[in-house]
Amino acid sequence: MVALRAIRSLALAPGELSATVYSGWSTPDDRDIWTYASQGLLRAGQRELVLNVVAEPGDGADAAAAPEFPFWLMAELHRQVRAGRQVDAGGHTLLAEPGWGLGITGFAYERFADGATLYPDGLEPLLAMPLVHDEARVAYRYGYARVLAMMGAQTSVFPYPGYFDRRRPPVTEFDTQSAGTLLAGATVLHAPEVEVAGNTRQVRVAVRPEWARPLAERLREAGELAALLTSAVHSFARQRYVWTGDNVRTAIGVPQSGDPMIAGNFLMLVAAESEPRVHVIEDGYGLIMPPPRWRELLEALEAGREYRWQVGEIEVTIAIAVTEHDSPFGHYTTGEPIAVHQPSDPRPDAVGVEIVLLTEQQVIDTEITVDQLVTFCRSVIGTVDTAVRGISHDSEKLVVAVEFAPERPLYVQLATSGDFPDAEGQRLTERLNALTPPPVRERVIAFEIWFSLNG
């Protein structure tokens, strides 16, 4: 991971809130980024805030002429939290009129795992993403997940670009959206505590436990046609649908063969005396159910229990996400306890190794044997051991994310804390992706291996 360099500091509320501007990160096409990070919001009861802005020549080498709006936003959140109002992932700030000569009309917030390295406690800050022109209005009416996915498609960054380019055009217009989406005729409920993904065999919805009962109450009030505007990030789906307006089914993300799970930007629920149906609608999923099934679903949510329903060849699961896992690659929520294993083999180059199974144990057991999994994990651990033994680094933690599925190449990601050489990290990733995983027939197997390094 690239080390950041502090180049500018500013007191926003003396003794209470300040901000630092860092350089060091860059966009996928190698443009420099100014990283603005708050200090002091957490003391007031609000997650710290980070904004990434693409640098321009006129900003100056010390960012003295860089945009000021991140400082305004940090101060605004500080004022709000002192008044008892907080924002979190899935939240938003709307402006009365476009600001700063950049057409900014609002901000969307998501958790920012990479930003945790900016803070001593390692707590994930929020990442604020500026929305321009009609984007904020569209996001508020039809979902922040939809707009962020369109931004991802515009920049070819999955799931969305974590930086703001002052020159980028808006990705959508409100009138175009309203004329072309079925959401215009539905009661919409912002539900960032809900995520949805599916393929040809299943649609899986995950709801955070503390939101299950309130969600049931909101659905009762909404009536028989409601659309949940779901989370803009997904625990495990590596692809996400994108709204195109022409009914052409389009997704962004990691190319996958077979029948991958694809995240949706909303879940439309319809209670009607008609044939039950589950299908993809625009960039989301639709579920038509008879009234008795609708009532059963609401009762399950109120009780905080899982609900399953077979609709033809598709299994629908509404899971209560009882387990959370903060990963460098995303924030996972699952309906099953996440299993963590610690290998007993003595290891000279690391003080600890943990294997975190992101796929449920019973699913793994139907696809591969314990011996196959152990053998492959040892290959990964051995490859990492060999690599780090010869690298000079100042990293205390290294995490390898592994995913393999039918008819698809092995997919490995690498994350480190501290200073780890980029070139060596890339070579290690290539070596890991060259390993041969055990074959699987139907389901995705995903896990992480966490290494505590001596440095």
Side-chain angles (χ1 to χ4, degrees):
M1 181 177 294
V2 176
L4 297 183
R5 179 172 62 91
I7 58 172
R8 182 184 176 191
S9 295
L10 184 69
L12 304 177
E16 297 183 12
L17 178 67
S18 62
T20 302
V21 183
Y22 297 89
S23 67
W25 284 342
S26 60
T27 66
D29 56 354
D30 290 328
R31 291 177 293 163
D32 291 336
I33 285 176
W34 303 127
T35 297
Y36 299 70
S38 69
Q39 290 93 30
L41 287 177
L42 189 61
R43 289 194 300 270
Q46 167 68 59
R47 281 184 182 269
E48 299 290 358
L49 188 69
V50 173
L51 295 94
N52 293 313
V53 179
V54 177
E56 294 191 357
D59 294 343
D62 59 355
E68 299 284 318
F69 70 84
F71 302 133
W72 175 88
L73 184 59
M74 293 170 185
E76 176 63 17
L77 293 192
H78 189 254
R79 286 190 291 270
Q80 288 187 18
V81 73
R82 288 175 64 111
R85 299 187 300 273
Q86 296 172 302
V87 297
D88 205 344
H92 57 267
T93 295
L94 301 179
L95 304 182
E97 57 185 26
W100 302 282
L102 299 172
I104 296 175
T105 50
F107 301 88
Y109 304 100
E110 289 295 338
R111 298 277 184 92
F112 186 38
D114 286 347
T117 59
L118 297 170
Y119 298 97
D121 57 12
L123 181 66
E124 283 184 345
L126 291 180
L127 176 69
M129 288 154 291
L131 305 174
V132 299
H133 302 290
D134 277 1
E135 290 174 352
R137 189 179 176 195
V138 171
Y140 185 73
R141 179 63 178 86
Y142 303 120
Y144 288 85
R146 169 173 285 189
V147 172
L148 293 180
M150 295 177 73
M151 290 166 57
Q154 181 190 64
T155 56
S156 299
V157 176
F158 176 77
Y160 50 79
Y163 52 85
F164 176 59
D165 183 347
R166 285 166 270 178
R167 300 179 183 273
R168 77 168 179 85
V171 297
T172 188
E173 296 178 346
F174 186 80
D175 290 344
T176 301
Q177 285 275 334
S178 298
T181 180
L182 292 172
L183 292 179
T187 299
V188 297
L189 305 174
H190 285 275
E193 66 277 3
V194 177
E195 61 180 36
V196 60
N199 58 18
T200 60
R201 301 188 307 277
Q202 62 174 317
V203 170
R204 185 173 180 84
V205 183
V207 183
R208 293 184 184 275
E210 65 272 22
W211 288 103
R213 180 179 288 275
L215 180 61
E217 295 173 357
R218 294 170 69 195
L219 287 172
R220 287 189 189 279
E221 295 174 358
E224 298 178 343
L225 174 59
L228 302 179
L229 306 179
T230 54
S231 172
V233 294
H234 197 277
S235 296
F236 60 84
R238 302 294 186 185
Q239 295 188 42
R240 177 174 288 272
Y241 285 120
V242 180
W243 190 83
T244 60
D246 55 9
N247 292 321
V248 175
R249 194 172 299 174
T250 302
I252 60 171
V254 180
Q256 296 172 300
S257 59
D259 190 17
M261 296 288 283
I262 303 178
N265 297 319
F266 67 87
L267 175 65
M268 184 173 288
L269 299 169
V270 182
E273 292 286 4
S274 59
E275 182 179 356
R277 187 181 177 191
V278 180
H279 59 133
V280 177
I281 305 175
E282 298 174 5
D283 56 337
Y285 291 89
L287 177 58
I288 301 175
M289 56 177 58
R293 284 284 184 183
W294 172 255
R295 290 191 290 271
E296 288 178 3
L297 169 59
L298 296 182
E299 290 170 359
L301 287 172
E302 289 173 336
R305 66 172 185 270
E306 181 179 87
Y307 184 73
R308 291 180 181 265
W309 184 31
Q310 191 72 33
V311 185
E313 297 182 353
I314 300 177
E315 181 183 52
V316 178
T317 303
I318 314 292
I320 306 302
V322 297
T323 303
E324 299 186 8
H325 169 57
D326 282 317
S327 162
F329 311 101
H331 186 77
Y332 291 78
T333 57
T334 75
E336 300 290 337
I338 291 178
V340 178
H341 300 281
Q342 294 181 324
S344 58
D345 299 16
R347 307 181 56 255
D349 294 324
V351 297
V353 171
E354 287 187 343
I355 300 173
V356 180
L357 299 181
L358 301 177
T359 300
E360 294 93 336
Q361 185 70 59
Q362 59 267 35
V363 172
I364 295 176
D365 291 343
T366 64
E367 293 287 343
I368 59 177
T369 66
V370 172
D371 287 344
Q372 286 177 308
L373 179 60
V374 169
T375 299
F376 183 64
C377 286
R378 284 176 174 167
S379 297
V380 174
I381 293 170
T383 301
V384 172
D385 273 346
T386 300
V388 300
R389 189 179 300 122
I391 297 175
S392 176
H393 65 88
D394 187 26
S395 182
E396 296 181 353
K397 187 77 68 176
L398 184 148
V399 184
V400 175
V402 178
E403 181 179 296
F404 52 94
E407 302 177 6
R408 194 173 93 205
L410 177 67
Y411 180 64
V412 176
Q413 293 177 283
L414 187 72
T416 61
S417 64
D419 188 12
F420 195 90
D422 286 347
E424 298 296 342
Q426 181 60 38
R427 278 192 282 271
L428 175 55
T429 303
E430 292 172 356
R431 291 191 197 109
L432 291 170
N433 272 305
L435 297 176
T436 302
V440 291
R441 298 183 303 275
E442 296 182 352
R443 304 293 290 275
V444 175
I445 305 298
F447 60 89
E448 295 174 351
I449 302 182
W450 289 62
F451 297 82
S452 295
L453 305 178
N454 288 325

